[in-house]
Amino acid sequence: MGGGTNSYSEIEETEVILLWGSNARETHPIFFHHLLKGVHNGARLFAIDPRRTSSARWADTWVGLDVGTDIVVANAMGREIIAQGWLHEKFIRHATTGFEAYRESVEPFTLAEAERLSGVPGQIIHNMAKAYATAKTAMICWTLGITEHHNGVDNVSSLINLSLLTGHVGRYASGLNPLRGQNNVHGGGDMGALPDRFPGFQHVEVEANRLKFEKAWNTNLPPKRGWNLTGMLNAMGTGELTALLILGENPLQSEADRHHAEHALRNLQFLAVQDLTLTPTAELAHVVLPAAAGWCESDGTFTNSERRVQRVRKAVNPPGLARDDGQILFDLARVMGHDWGEYSAEKVWNELRSLSPVHTGMSYQRLEQENGLQWPCYDEAHPGEMFLHSRLWEEPLKGPPVAFQVVHHSPPVEPLTAEFPLRLTTGRRLDDYNTGVQTEGFESPLRRGETIDLCPEDARKLGISDGEVVRVVSARGSIEAPARLTHSLRPGLAFMTFHFQDSVNTNILTIDATDPRSGTAEFKACSIRVEKLASPTPA
């Protein structure tokens, strides 16, 4: 199930926190308040990130690894934990499989080899492994710095291996927590906005699940999983996918390799976009359906990163012709020959509860009275689970054991070369969000526009000064942006955001290499060069 195993309050009481590939101070500020309480209560924080981010200011140790070497560091930690005897042998025997294959796979990752491959001093890896493994409670939190790679699934698996090795899962204040990028990303996955899952993470290729939904929906459903976003874009490009409805998404500007995304969207026979604003993607559409703002113009629920389902209440009516997303979908169904009756957010929710066992006990009345509930919540007497997978500690073991995954280091797809000697990684800032659609229309005292961030050493070699407009070039194209010099970066590493695509289209540079299982693009690693612009000739 795609859910964080712990509640926010638990990180306030844990002993060790590994914040891996996440600048939560800026990208998950609400969660970071809870994390800071943990630090103030004595937790040791390790910030594992190529950049010395603002989150690292509160860390006991900043673990500055090279981009794309997360598996190296995780496997070296695993090897050190085994070599030093810090592993939880009873938990491994009781609740896991595949340990011997895992032990063999991490054996080559000595501290010296890990230091050579990742740039992280072996002593720091040793210290982090000891702190994590010997703590009574410990949590690993990660975000897109782990997942937006061509091997993002393997990156996550390497972290899960560490929790199995030490027994830091299935217990209060010990677990694994992917942080969600905005308030209802979790809810989208929970509701089945995935190519292989029905609502409640029920797999579409399990016949009993499919038959249940076929009966409830009075239709035949495909027995095989569908395309993820990467597969959809490829199918648009080849003409296999010819019509598309996009709800609240701006893929023209958010997808890696802008040229590839634009070609795919323009190749569609029919494109409809349902959104809050007229995004650049919507400008390509044949039909635009103006939608309500979910946070104030709609009724329904949101689900946050601790699996807490909360009520959202309509405060004002949508302006003009804009309507609730659900109402639009009901109306589309009607004109396509399926009358679902009158639209009601609660009616839709109650249908979900009847089909998703993990949501069954969450009536609107309970969500109101209890200020939200955490799934799984199996019936109306169930309080909801504060943390997941406690079954792994039950005697005898309830349900199947969990398997260690053998994962191998695979460097970024695009190597550094003499032509493109700098590694560009991308991310977000506190004051803006993704392609700027939701934030750029509002003034912010923090906003400073897009820059190409460089370390002072690289800038000196290139003869570039702070604030100077430069050309940034990759194998896919070039853009211009002001240089910003910062000591948060080491030599050879550059950083940009994708918040200002209308003025600085960062995703022209990024590569569309993707993880074969998740379909996630490698936003965190592409190769670039930075060029001085020619000075204008005096008149």
Side-chain angles (χ1 to χ4, degrees):
M1 285 188 169
T5 64
N6 299 92
S7 303
Y8 290 166
S9 60
E10 293 173 61
I11 202 166
E12 300 173 14
E13 300 183 41
T14 195
E15 291 185 7
V16 171
I17 304 165
L18 305 187
L19 187 63
W20 206 308
S22 171
N23 184 14
R25 167 67 184 86
E26 297 191 44
T27 59
H28 300 83
I30 302 302
F31 171 80
F32 198 72
H33 285 302
H34 296 277
L35 185 152
L36 279 181
K37 289 181 181 179
V39 171
H40 293 321
N41 287 334
R44 293 184 66 185
L45 172 63
F46 292 83
I48 305 98
D49 200 295
R51 297 188 298 137
R52 191 190 293 269
T53 66
S54 59
S55 301
R57 296 174 189 170
W58 283 271
D60 179 89
T61 304
W62 170 55
V63 184
L65 76 175
D66 291 339
V67 174
T69 62
D70 303 279
I71 288 172
V72 171
V73 175
N75 280 0
M77 283 182 63
R79 184 190 185 281
E80 189 70 0
I81 289 167
I82 294 169
Q84 298 293 340
W86 297 327
L87 67 169
H88 199 305
E89 295 186 40
K90 181 178 179 181
F91 179 80
I92 292 169
R93 288 194 304 269
H94 175 69
T96 75
T97 61
F99 170 69
E100 291 303 327
Y102 171 73
R103 182 209 296 264
E104 184 178 343
S105 72
V106 300
E107 184 57 32
F109 293 90
T110 63
L111 295 180
E113 180 67 1
E115 181 171 337
R116 184 184 72 83
L117 291 171
S118 71
V120 179
Q123 187 62 47
I124 287 181
I125 297 175
H126 168 88
N127 293 345
M128 181 164 61
K130 182 178 182 179
Y132 177 73
T134 60
K136 292 182 180 178
T137 56
M139 295 171 67
I140 304 178
C141 306
W142 70 89
T143 55
L144 303 180
I146 283 289
T147 57
E148 286 187 341
H149 291 270
H150 74 282
N151 57 345
V153 173
D154 282 350
N155 285 342
V156 173
S157 295
S158 73
L159 303 186
I160 294 172
N161 286 338
L162 294 177
S163 75
L164 299 180
L165 192 61
T166 56
H168 284 315
V169 68
R171 296 188 289 121
Y172 182 83
S174 281
L176 296 151
N177 295 281
L179 310 179
R180 305 305 186 178
Q182 61 178 329
N183 60 347
N184 200 36
V185 169
H186 213 314
D190 296 355
M191 297 303 107
L194 299 164
D196 62 345
R197 305 285 163 158
F198 292 119
F201 298 98
Q202 298 170 88
H203 206 289
V204 302
E205 293 177 4
V206 174
E207 185 177 21
N209 293 340
R210 189 177 75 258
L211 292 176
K212 177 175 71 171
F213 282 89
E214 285 186 343
K215 181 179 179 181
W217 293 344
N218 191 30
T219 191
N220 295 320
L221 297 169
K224 297 293 183 182
R225 70 186 68 194
W227 286 309
N228 57 32
L229 180 53
T230 300
M232 292 170 70
L233 285 166
N234 291 337
M236 291 178 222
T238 61
E240 189 177 0
L241 177 59
T242 60
L244 186 67
L245 171 63
I246 296 176
L247 286 77
E249 191 78 10
N250 185 22
L252 178 66
Q253 293 187 315
S254 63
E255 285 305 295
D257 193 344
R258 158 101 183 218
H259 297 307
H260 172 67
E262 184 167 357
H263 168 74
L265 290 167
R266 289 189 182 277
N267 206 43
L268 289 165
Q269 294 178 18
F270 178 75
L271 172 62
V273 172
Q274 181 172 321
D275 211 322
L276 190 63
T277 63
L278 190 68
T279 65
T281 301
E283 291 176 353
L284 297 180
H286 300 91
V287 174
V288 177
L289 304 171
W295 65 276
C296 65
E297 296 170 355
S298 297
D299 283 310
T301 61
F302 285 164
T303 308
N304 69 5
S305 292
E306 63 172 359
R307 295 170 283 104
R308 184 175 300 279
V309 180
Q310 300 169 86
R311 283 279 287 113
V312 180
R313 301 162 189 81
K314 180 178 179 180
V316 295
N317 289 323
L321 298 176
R323 284 184 291 166
D324 187 284
D325 285 295
Q327 182 65 64
I328 294 172
L329 293 176
F330 264 57
D331 291 344
L332 282 173
R334 186 174 296 110
V335 299
M336 295 170 74
H338 300 274
D339 191 344
W340 296 343
E342 287 297 314
Y343 172 68
S344 158
E346 186 172 7
K347 172 184 172 182
V348 173
W349 181 254
N350 285 333
E351 179 188 296
L352 167 82
R353 292 173 57 215
S354 73
L355 294 169
S356 170
V358 298
H359 293 94
T360 299
M362 297 183 177
S363 66
Y364 264 25
Q365 182 179 7
R366 288 195 72 200
L367 292 177
E368 296 270 7
Q369 290 174 344
E370 302 184 41
N371 294 316
L373 292 163
Q374 292 170 278
W375 64 255
C377 180
Y378 297 110
D379 57 57
E380 295 207 24
H382 195 283
E385 297 284 352
M386 173 172 275
F387 57 90
L388 298 180
H389 311 307
S390 59
R391 70 174 185 84
L392 297 174
W393 296 91
E394 294 182 11
E395 301 272 3
L397 178 65
K398 184 178 180 181
V402 184
F404 280 91
Q405 302 293 317
V406 172
V407 292
H408 303 286
H409 169 53
S410 177
V413 169
E414 196 165 57
L416 299 179
T417 64
E419 184 180 8
F420 301 110
L422 297 177
R423 176 68 69 205
L424 175 67
T425 192
T426 63
R428 301 206 306 262
R429 296 191 213 132
L430 175 63
D431 49 303
D432 282 282
Y433 184 77
N434 280 9
T435 61
V437 169
Q438 299 178 64
T439 52
E440 202 169 0
F442 300 90
E443 293 184 2
S444 167
L446 301 177
R447 184 173 294 121
R448 54 178 170 80
E450 190 53 273
T451 58
I452 170 77
D453 291 3
L454 300 168
C455 76
E457 295 93 326
D458 287 335
R460 278 196 297 271
K461 290 178 183 177
L462 295 166
I464 291 169
S465 58
D466 193 43
E468 178 181 349
V469 176
V470 298
R471 180 178 292 112
V472 187
V473 187
S474 77
R476 288 153 296 282
S478 66
I479 59 175
E480 294 180 6
R484 176 177 174 268
L485 308 191
T486 171
H487 291 284
S488 68
L489 299 173
R490 293 169 297 154
L493 182 63
F495 176 78
M496 296 185 75
T497 78
F498 31 79
H499 297 324
F500 307 97
Q501 298 278 20
D502 290 335
S503 56
V504 180
N505 200 334
T506 303
N507 284 0
I508 282 177
L509 304 172
T510 47
I511 187 171
D512 65 348
T514 54
D515 186 293
R517 285 178 284 178
S518 68
T520 302
E522 189 155 76
F523 285 102
K524 300 304 181 190
C526 72
S527 304
I528 63 165
R529 68 174 180 267
V530 176
E531 301 174 345
K532 284 182 71 71
L533 296 178
S535 300
T537 303

